[in-house]
mmCIF file with all atom_site columns, all heavy atoms in Angstrom:
data_model
loop_
_atom_site.group_PDB
_atom_site.id
_atom_site.type_symbol
_atom_site.label_atom_id
_atom_site.label_alt_id
_atom_site.label_comp_id
_atom_site.label_asym_id
_atom_site.label_entity_id
_atom_site.label_seq_id
_atom_site.pdbx_PDB_ins_code
_atom_site.Cartn_x
_atom_site.Cartn_y
_atom_site.Cartn_z
_atom_site.occupancy
_atom_site.B_iso_or_equiv
_atom_site.pdbx_formal_charge
_atom_site.auth_seq_id
_atom_site.auth_comp_id
_atom_site.auth_asym_id
_atom_site.auth_atom_id
_atom_site.pdbx_PDB_model_num
ATOM 1  N N   . SER A 1 53 ? -75.157 97.529 -56.902 1.00 82.00 ? 59 SER A N   1
ATOM 2  C CA  . SER A 1 53 ? -73.948 97.192 -56.151 1.00 82.00 ? 59 SER A CA  1
ATOM 3  C C   . SER A 1 53 ? -73.868 95.687 -55.954 1.00 82.00 ? 59 SER A C   1
ATOM 4  O O   . SER A 1 53 ? -74.857 94.975 -56.138 1.00 82.00 ? 59 SER A O   1
ATOM 5  C CB  . SER A 1 53 ? -73.920 97.919 -54.812 1.00 82.00 ? 59 SER A CB  1
ATOM 6  O OG  . SER A 1 53 ? -75.006 97.507 -54.014 1.00 82.00 ? 59 SER A OG  1
ATOM 7  N N   . GLU A 1 54 ? -72.705 95.250 -55.564 1.00 87.00 ? 60 GLU A N   1
ATOM 8  C CA  . GLU A 1 54 ? -72.526 93.830 -55.294 1.00 87.00 ? 60 GLU A CA  1
ATOM 9  C C   . GLU A 1 54 ? -73.308 93.427 -54.044 1.00 87.00 ? 60 GLU A C   1
ATOM 10 O O   . GLU A 1 54 ? -73.447 94.218 -53.102 1.00 87.00 ? 60 GLU A O   1
ATOM 11 C CB  . GLU A 1 54 ? -71.041 93.523 -55.079 1.00 87.00 ? 60 GLU A CB  1
ATOM 12 C CG  . GLU A 1 54 ? -70.158 93.744 -56.292 1.00 87.00 ? 60 GLU A CG  1
ATOM 13 C CD  . GLU A 1 54 ? -70.426 92.719 -57.380 1.00 87.00 ? 60 GLU A CD  1
ATOM 14 O OE1 . GLU A 1 54 ? -70.691 91.549 -57.034 1.00 87.00 ? 60 GLU A OE1 1
ATOM 15 O OE2 . GLU A 1 54 ? -70.388 93.082 -58.568 1.00 87.00 ? 60 GLU A OE2 1
ATOM 16 N N   . ALA A 1 55 ? -73.794 92.210 -54.041 1.00 92.00 ? 61 ALA A N   1
ATOM 17 C CA  . ALA A 1 55 ? -74.504 91.710 -52.860 1.00 92.00 ? 61 ALA A CA  1
ATOM 18 C C   . ALA A 1 55 ? -73.548 91.589 -51.680 1.00 92.00 ? 61 ALA A C   1
ATOM 19 O O   . ALA A 1 55 ? -72.353 91.336 -51.852 1.00 92.00 ? 61 ALA A O   1
ATOM 20 C CB  . ALA A 1 55 ? -75.134 90.361 -53.167 1.00 92.00 ? 61 ALA A CB  1
ATOM 21 N N   . THR A 1 56 ? -74.088 91.784 -50.503 1.00 93.00 ? 62 THR A N   1
ATOM 22 C CA  . THR A 1 56 ? -73.313 91.652 -49.273 1.00 93.00 ? 62 THR A CA  1
ATOM 23 C C   . THR A 1 56 ? -73.697 90.359 -48.593 1.00 93.00 ? 62 THR A C   1
ATOM 24 O O   . THR A 1 56 ? -74.857 90.178 -48.223 1.00 93.00 ? 62 THR A O   1
ATOM 25 C CB  . THR A 1 56 ? -73.593 92.833 -48.333 1.00 93.00 ? 62 THR A CB  1
ATOM 26 O OG1 . THR A 1 56 ? -73.291 94.055 -48.997 1.00 93.00 ? 62 THR A OG1 1
ATOM 27 C CG2 . THR A 1 56 ? -72.735 92.710 -47.074 1.00 93.00 ? 62 THR A CG2 1
ATOM 28 N N   . TYR A 1 57 ? -72.735 89.475 -48.401 1.00 95.00 ? 63 TYR A N   1
ATOM 29 C CA  . TYR A 1 57 ? -72.999 88.143 -47.866 1.00 95.00 ? 63 TYR A CA  1
ATOM 30 C C   . TYR A 1 57 ? -72.736 88.090 -46.373 1.00 95.00 ? 63 TYR A C   1
ATOM 31 O O   . TYR A 1 57 ? -71.802 88.718 -45.861 1.00 95.00 ? 63 TYR A O   1
ATOM 32 C CB  . TYR A 1 57 ? -72.136 87.110 -48.595 1.00 95.00 ? 63 TYR A CB  1
ATOM 33 C CG  . TYR A 1 57 ? -72.569 86.896 -50.027 1.00 95.00 ? 63 TYR A CG  1
ATOM 34 C CD1 . TYR A 1 57 ? -72.139 87.753 -51.043 1.00 95.00 ? 63 TYR A CD1 1
ATOM 35 C CD2 . TYR A 1 57 ? -73.424 85.848 -50.356 1.00 95.00 ? 63 TYR A CD2 1
ATOM 36 C CE1 . TYR A 1 57 ? -72.563 87.578 -52.345 1.00 95.00 ? 63 TYR A CE1 1
ATOM 37 C CE2 . TYR A 1 57 ? -73.843 85.661 -51.666 1.00 95.00 ? 63 TYR A CE2 1
ATOM 38 C CZ  . TYR A 1 57 ? -73.413 86.533 -52.652 1.00 95.00 ? 63 TYR A CZ  1
ATOM 39 O OH  . TYR A 1 57 ? -73.837 86.361 -53.953 1.00 95.00 ? 63 TYR A OH  1
ATOM 40 N N   . GLU A 1 58 ? -73.538 87.281 -45.695 1.00 94.00 ? 64 GLU A N   1
ATOM 41 C CA  . GLU A 1 58 ? -73.368 87.057 -44.265 1.00 94.00 ? 64 GLU A CA  1
ATOM 42 C C   . GLU A 1 58 ? -72.307 85.978 -44.039 1.00 94.00 ? 64 GLU A C   1
ATOM 43 O O   . GLU A 1 58 ? -71.943 85.217 -44.949 1.00 94.00 ? 64 GLU A O   1
ATOM 44 C CB  . GLU A 1 58 ? -74.686 86.641 -43.630 1.00 94.00 ? 64 GLU A CB  1
ATOM 45 C CG  . GLU A 1 58 ? -75.767 87.709 -43.738 1.00 94.00 ? 64 GLU A CG  1
ATOM 46 C CD  . GLU A 1 58 ? -75.357 89.003 -43.070 1.00 94.00 ? 64 GLU A CD  1
ATOM 47 O OE1 . GLU A 1 58 ? -75.032 88.991 -41.866 1.00 94.00 ? 64 GLU A OE1 1
ATOM 48 O OE2 . GLU A 1 58 ? -75.366 90.047 -43.757 1.00 94.00 ? 64 GLU A OE2 1
ATOM 49 N N   . SER A 1 59 ? -71.859 85.941 -42.815 1.00 93.00 ? 65 SER A N   1
ATOM 50 C CA  . SER A 1 59 ? -70.841 84.964 -42.454 1.00 93.00 ? 65 SER A CA  1
ATOM 51 C C   . SER A 1 59 ? -71.350 83.562 -42.737 1.00 93.00 ? 65 SER A C   1
ATOM 52 O O   . SER A 1 59 ? -72.467 83.206 -42.377 1.00 93.00 ? 65 SER A O   1
ATOM 53 C CB  . SER A 1 59 ? -70.503 85.105 -40.972 1.00 93.00 ? 65 SER A CB  1
ATOM 54 O OG  . SER A 1 59 ? -69.603 84.115 -40.564 1.00 93.00 ? 65 SER A OG  1
ATOM 55 N N   . GLY A 1 60 ? -70.521 82.787 -43.414 1.00 95.00 ? 66 GLY A N   1
ATOM 56 C CA  . GLY A 1 60 ? -70.883 81.411 -43.724 1.00 95.00 ? 66 GLY A CA  1
ATOM 57 C C   . GLY A 1 60 ? -71.450 81.229 -45.122 1.00 95.00 ? 66 GLY A C   1
ATOM 58 O O   . GLY A 1 60 ? -71.685 80.092 -45.537 1.00 95.00 ? 66 GLY A O   1
ATOM 59 N N   . PHE A 1 61 ? -71.673 82.320 -45.814 1.00 97.00 ? 67 PHE A N   1
ATOM 60 C CA  . PHE A 1 61 ? -72.203 82.261 -47.176 1.00 97.00 ? 67 PHE A CA  1
ATOM 61 C C   . PHE A 1 61 ? -71.231 82.986 -48.107 1.00 97.00 ? 67 PHE A C   1
ATOM 62 O O   . PHE A 1 61 ? -70.744 84.064 -47.788 1.00 97.00 ? 67 PHE A O   1
ATOM 63 C CB  . PHE A 1 61 ? -73.577 82.911 -47.260 1.00 97.00 ? 67 PHE A CB  1
ATOM 64 C CG  . PHE A 1 61 ? -74.621 82.233 -46.412 1.00 97.00 ? 67 PHE A CG  1
ATOM 65 C CD1 . PHE A 1 61 ? -74.912 82.697 -45.132 1.00 97.00 ? 67 PHE A CD1 1
ATOM 66 C CD2 . PHE A 1 61 ? -75.298 81.119 -46.883 1.00 97.00 ? 67 PHE A CD2 1
ATOM 67 C CE1 . PHE A 1 61 ? -75.850 82.072 -44.347 1.00 97.00 ? 67 PHE A CE1 1
ATOM 68 C CE2 . PHE A 1 61 ? -76.254 80.487 -46.102 1.00 97.00 ? 67 PHE A CE2 1
ATOM 69 C CZ  . PHE A 1 61 ? -76.525 80.957 -44.833 1.00 97.00 ? 67 PHE A CZ  1
ATOM 70 N N   . VAL A 1 62 ? -70.977 82.368 -49.274 1.00 96.00 ? 68 VAL A N   1
ATOM 71 C CA  . VAL A 1 62 ? -70.002 82.942 -50.214 1.00 96.00 ? 68 VAL A CA  1
ATOM 72 C C   . VAL A 1 62 ? -70.614 83.086 -51.588 1.00 96.00 ? 68 VAL A C   1
ATOM 73 O O   . VAL A 1 62 ? -71.515 82.326 -51.977 1.00 96.00 ? 68 VAL A O   1
ATOM 74 C CB  . VAL A 1 62 ? -68.718 82.091 -50.281 1.00 96.00 ? 68 VAL A CB  1
ATOM 75 C CG1 . VAL A 1 62 ? -68.003 82.109 -48.930 1.00 96.00 ? 68 VAL A CG1 1
ATOM 76 C CG2 . VAL A 1 62 ? -69.015 80.659 -50.697 1.00 96.00 ? 68 VAL A CG2 1
ATOM 77 N N   . ILE A 1 63 ? -70.065 84.017 -52.332 1.00 96.00 ? 69 ILE A N   1
ATOM 78 C CA  . ILE A 1 63 ? -70.613 84.356 -53.650 1.00 96.00 ? 69 ILE A CA  1
ATOM 79 C C   . ILE A 1 63 ? -70.495 83.189 -54.621 1.00 96.00 ? 69 ILE A C   1
ATOM 80 O O   . ILE A 1 63 ? -71.369 83.006 -55.469 1.00 96.00 ? 69 ILE A O   1
ATOM 81 C CB  . ILE A 1 63 ? -69.931 85.624 -54.200 1.00 96.00 ? 69 ILE A CB  1
ATOM 82 C CG1 . ILE A 1 63 ? -70.611 86.097 -55.480 1.00 96.00 ? 69 ILE A CG1 1
ATOM 83 C CG2 . ILE A 1 63 ? -68.453 85.389 -54.438 1.00 96.00 ? 69 ILE A CG2 1
ATOM 84 C CD1 . ILE A 1 63 ? -70.144 87.446 -55.975 1.00 96.00 ? 69 ILE A CD1 1
#
Side-chain angles (χ1 to χ4, degrees):
Chain A
S59 63
E60 295 290 323
T62 303
Y63 290 83
E64 298 300 303
S65 175
F67 298 95
V68 295
I69 187 171

